[in-house]
Structures are given as C-alpha cells and as structure tokens.
C-alpha cells in the first residue's frame, strides 16, 4: 500500500534516531570509538544488519567484514546493481555522523521508496564498510578497496598497537582472508556508487546551503615515521650529549607545519599520533614513532610537499645524530567524481528548491576507492561549524532529512533512466 511521502523533517528525525542508536555502540564507554574488527564493530554489524533485515534486505558479511545488504530489482530492468553506503568505523572520540550517516540514509531511502510504492529496475546493495578511517591499522579504505578488487595483500601484515596483524584480526572476527578476492564486485553489473556524507568542513554553512555536490576528493598520503636516537638517564646525560628522538621529532613537526602552510591547492600536513619510547618521565626518549598525513586537491602539490618534508626531516635528524625512517602506508591520488552521477545529485538538490553548489572534499571517503571500479559520486550535508573527528560534530536533523530526500530522488531519477528504452 502506498503511504504519503514523509517530509524531510520526519526523515531527518528518523535518521537522527538511527545515528543515536549506532553511537551507543562503542569500544570506549562515554565516548564514540569504533575501531575496525573490534568488539564494538561486531556489535554495530549486528545492529545495522538488523535494520537491513527488518527492511527486507539480505544482509551478509564479506571477507573483510563489510556488511552488505542486498535486495533484488522489483521492476524489469537491465540486470544491474546500484551500490549505496559509507563506513561504520570511527575515529577515536568521534561524533555520530561521519560515515554512519551514509549507511543510515541509504537504509531509510530504500524504506521510503517502498512506502511510496515505487519500484526499482535495479538491485540495490548497501555497503557498510569497516575500515575507512585506518585508525586501528594503517590501512584506510581497505574494505572499499576489497570491493573494487584493489585490496593490497601487504595490508594483511600491518599490525595494530598491540602487535596484532590485520590477518589475525580478520580471522578472529570470523573472516577468511583467503577469500578477499571474492569480495570484489564485478563492475560490469554496477550502475554506480552513491555516498551521502557530512561535509566535515565549513563551506556549505558559509554559503547558507544544506547540501552540496562533491566534485573531487583530495589525494592523500599517510606514512609512519620512526626517529631513533639514544635513550639515557634524564638526570645524568648532559644536554649537549643527548640524542633525544622526541626533541628531533618536535623540530620536524614544526617543519611539517611550515611546509603545510606554504603549500598550494589546499595542502594540509598533520602529525596526529606520536608514541614516545620508552615512555618514562625520567628517561631521554630513544625512539619516537609518529604518523604523517599529507593531502592536497592537486597531486603535484602533495608530492612536492612530501619530498620537502622528507628532505628537511632527514637534515634535522642528521644534525641531531638521529636516524629517521619512513614507511608509506597509503598513497591515493585525487579522484574526480562521476559527472553523470554528480548531475543526478544536482538535479535532485535543485528539485528540492535549493541552490546547487559543487565543492571538492578535503576528507577521504570510501567513494575514493570505489571510483577505481565504479562510477561514483557523493552528496555532502552541511556540518555545524565544519567540525568533525570530534564529538561536537553535528548537523541539523532537517539537513539530514534533506540529504535523505535528495538521495531518494536521485535513486528514483536513476530508476527512470534505467527503465527508459
Ligand atoms: C577520513 O575521515 C579521512 O581521514 O579523510
Ligand atoms: Mn567518513
Ligand atoms: Mn572520518
């Protein structure tokens, strides 16, 4: 039976309820932290899998723990599949929206399409990826990479902070790494991939717009840096004889910041994690392990900055009697979103009576990896004050509802085209 369309206010309230429930699933009571293959990740799969099954989707886990909810076409078409989704892992002390919105919105969009009595001439698969953030293992986008057949086998040997290799964590989670190739989706049968996500930046708020169509996603490089000096007694080793790995890293960090500030094309450079070893207040640090994250909208800017950082860091280390080693974990080029799907999102936004603005993404997204194999596009929802990767992350529920409605209209527009002779 056909039900009246729910207005964006109601869709937004429903989305918020799902997001609130998902945010309760955490590895750290009192804050939202859901790491890949952690107990909370397992519980979030049960919760989201339940939402999928209640709405008639056939939900299963693939070999890299991506939750995949599928439903068949319910009208004649060309035998293709539309992919929707985003990720359900989070950063440490996260908000409720990053990634989770794209999964909740996809589920609600399909529910609402059914309520409106619309039939789709393609199968739909909702993908809830588990390793977008790359927080537990230095393998961001590994789950969406598996869906495109571009999983890197060397990821299997990377270790988390407790020394657990990714391969062992996958097995302990019930996944079979030998079957990762089977997680690849054949591009021949795929219409495209659509991801709704919060902007995580301030542009839409500045323009006074709830939604924006993404043009491209900034390339990113993520590395590990290890600085080695000489541990010693904090009371007896004179300052001029020290080879303090942390002091060296501190100088390198300021250099990274300077190079980031000098760069063009939205270049940003971040050291977000530092482990000072052996980690005692009365010991001169002998070793420091740090992350380095460099991004830009134009690949040449990122690559030039990386070269400069490396050169300057080696110079600083040599002057201080330290050694420095770099390990490159991720190198993803800037990716353009599919023009036709961008236009489909733009038409849906315009049909809501909203101005259409297009913007690049500085944050990384599963759509970056998905674009390697499938036409992919993203729609952004306005973020409050551009805050993200922070528990203060927030979007007005009405904006969330407009995002869900735009997703519904985009899917129905694609359905009309798929039926057309
Ligand atoms: C994902 O949030 C990223 O780091 O861009
Ligand atoms: Mn995200
Ligand atoms: Mn994120």
């Amino acid at each position: 039976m056909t039900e009246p369309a729910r207005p964006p206010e109601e869709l937004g309230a429903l989305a918020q309820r799902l997001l609130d429930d998902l945010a309760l699933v955490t590895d750290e009571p009192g804050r939202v932290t859901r790491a890949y293959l952690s107990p909370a990740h397992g519980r979030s799969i049960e919760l989201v899998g339940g939402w999928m099954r209640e709405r008639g989707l056939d939900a299963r886990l693939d070999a890299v723990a991506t939750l995949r909810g599928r439903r068949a076409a319910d009208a004649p078409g060309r035998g293709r599949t539309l992919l929707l989704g985003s990720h359900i892992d989070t950063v440490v002390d996260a908000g409720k929206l990053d990634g989770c919105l794209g999964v909740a919105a996809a589920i609600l969009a399909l529910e609402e399409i059914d309520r409106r009595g619309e039939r789709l001439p393609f199968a739909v698969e909702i993908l809830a990826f588990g390793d977008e953030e790359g927080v537990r293992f230095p393998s961001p986008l590994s789950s969406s990479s598996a869906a495109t057949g571009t999983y890197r086998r060397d990821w299997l040997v990377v270790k988390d902070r407790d020394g657990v290799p990714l391969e062992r964590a996958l097995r302990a989670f019930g996944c079979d790494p030998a079957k990762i190739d089977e997680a690849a989706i054949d591009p021949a049968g795929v219409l495209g991939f659509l991801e709704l996500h919060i902007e995580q930046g301030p542009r839409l708020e500045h323009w006074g717009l709830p939604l924006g169509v993404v043009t491209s996603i900034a390339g990113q490089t993520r590395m590990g840096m290890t600085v080695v000096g000489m541990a010693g007694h904090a009371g007896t080793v004179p300052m001029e004889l020290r080879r303090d790995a942390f002091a060296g890293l501190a100088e390198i960090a300021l250099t990274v910041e300077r190079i980031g500030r000098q760069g063009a094309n939205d270049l940003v450079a971040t050291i977000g994690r530092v482990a000072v070893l052996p980690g005692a207040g009365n010991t001169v640090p002998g070793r420091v392990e740090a992350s380095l994250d460099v991004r830009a909208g134009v690949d040449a800017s990122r690559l030039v900055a990386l070269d400069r950082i490396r050169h300057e860091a080696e110079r600083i280390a040599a002057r201080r009697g330290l050694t420095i080693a770099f390990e490159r974990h991720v190198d993803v080029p800037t990716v353009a979103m599919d023009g036709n799907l961008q236009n489909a999102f733009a038409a849906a936004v315009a049909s809501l009576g909203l101005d259409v603005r297009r913007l690049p993404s500085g944050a990384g997204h599963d759509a970056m990896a998905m674009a390697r194999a499938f036409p992919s596009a993203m729609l952004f929802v306005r973020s409050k004050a551009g805050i993200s990767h922070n528990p203060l992350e927030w979007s007005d529920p009405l904006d969330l509802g407009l995002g869900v409605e735009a997703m519904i209209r985009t899917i129905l527009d694609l359905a009309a085209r798929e039926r057309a002779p």
Side-chain angles (χ1 to χ4, degrees), residues 4-314:
R6 291 165 169 142
E9 294 77 5
E10 205 176 324
L11 291 172
L14 289 169
Q16 189 63 59
R17 203 170 309 153
L18 295 181
L19 293 164
D20 288 343
D21 285 351
L22 189 45
L24 294 173
V25 183
T26 177
D27 290 311
E28 295 185 301
R31 57 185 201 167
V32 184
T33 301
R34 220 165 31 247
Y36 183 40
L37 306 176
S38 68
H41 182 206
R43 295 197 303 279
S44 69
I45 286 168
E46 279 172 32
L47 180 67
V48 177
W51 296 343
M52 289 175 168
R53 290 185 192 100
E54 282 161 19
R55 290 162 176 87
L57 297 172
D58 175 23
R60 69 181 179 87
L61 212 58
D62 72 12
V64 290
T66 298
L67 175 63
R68 294 164 61 156
R70 188 177 174 86
R71 55 175 244 174
D74 47 17
R78 301 180 204 167
R80 300 205 290 175
T81 300
L82 177 66
L83 305 175
L84 307 173
S86 192
H87 60 100
I88 53 173
D89 64 324
T90 74
V91 292
V92 176
D93 200 11
K96 296 177 179 178
L97 293 157
D98 178 1
C100 302
L101 172 63
V103 175
I107 291 171
L108 282 177
L110 289 188
E111 174 185 298
E112 185 64 13
I113 284 170
D114 281 347
R115 285 180 86 253
R116 294 180 191 180
E118 301 280 358
R119 300 277 170 262
L120 298 179
F122 38 68
V124 181
E125 191 158 317
I126 300 178
L127 300 152
F129 297 111
D131 189 21
E132 192 269 358
E133 301 287 5
V135 166
R136 177 172 175 194
F137 298 98
S139 54
L141 305 175
S142 70
S143 32
S144 36
S145 297
T148 66
T150 58
Y151 195 87
R152 278 174 32 190
R153 303 298 300 186
D154 59 342
W155 277 325
L156 290 173
V157 299
V158 297
K159 293 185 177 144
D160 70 6
R161 272 182 231 182
D162 299 324
V164 178
L166 175 51
E167 176 161 18
R168 199 193 316 152
L170 279 167
R171 286 189 201 286
F173 206 73
C175 296
D176 182 357
K179 296 201 168 141
I180 287 176
D181 289 350
E182 294 171 25
I185 300 170
D186 181 2
V190 172
L191 200 159
F193 172 67
L194 302 178
E195 182 173 4
L196 185 74
H197 203 285
I198 51 162
E199 183 199 347
Q200 307 177 277
R203 285 187 169 113
L204 290 173
E205 189 176 69
H206 177 70
W207 294 329
L209 292 175
L211 302 175
V213 179
V214 178
T215 52
S216 62
I217 305 176
Q220 59 173 271
T221 299
R222 297 210 214 171
M223 315 235 252
M225 296 189 288
T226 304
V227 181
V228 178
M230 180 73 175
H233 197 295
T236 61
V237 186
M239 295 307 285
E240 66 277 15
L241 294 184
R242 291 186 179 196
R243 290 163 52 214
D244 182 331
F246 177 68
L249 191 272
E251 191 177 342
I252 290 166
L254 293 176
T255 302
V256 166
E257 184 190 44
R258 179 171 48 77
I259 291 171
R261 285 186 183 193
Q262 290 168 349
N265 302 307
D266 297 322
L267 180 79
V268 283
T270 308
I271 295 178
R273 193 175 66 80
V274 178
V276 182
L277 302 166
N282 60 351
T283 301
V284 177
R287 181 184 175 98
V288 171
E289 294 168 0
S291 63
L292 174 66
D293 180 313
V294 180
R295 310 181 189 208
V298 173
D299 292 332
S301 300
R302 175 174 49 92
L303 298 174
V304 166
L306 282 164
D307 271 356
R308 280 189 66 198
I309 289 171
R310 214 178 165 122
H311 176 77
E312 299 270 324
E314 279 165 357

Side-chain angles (χ1 to χ4, degrees), residues 313-355:
E314 279 165 357
R315 204 177 47 78
I316 292 165
R319 174 162 45 72
R320 290 170 164 272
L322 308 168
T323 61
I324 181 161
F326 295 89
E327 194 182 355
R328 199 170 288 224
H329 297 305
V330 181
D331 233 342
V332 193
T334 300
V335 176
M337 295 289 92
D338 179 76
N340 288 331
L341 292 177
Q342 277 189 52
N343 290 340
F345 270 141
V349 171
S351 77
L352 286 162
L354 300 167
D355 285 351

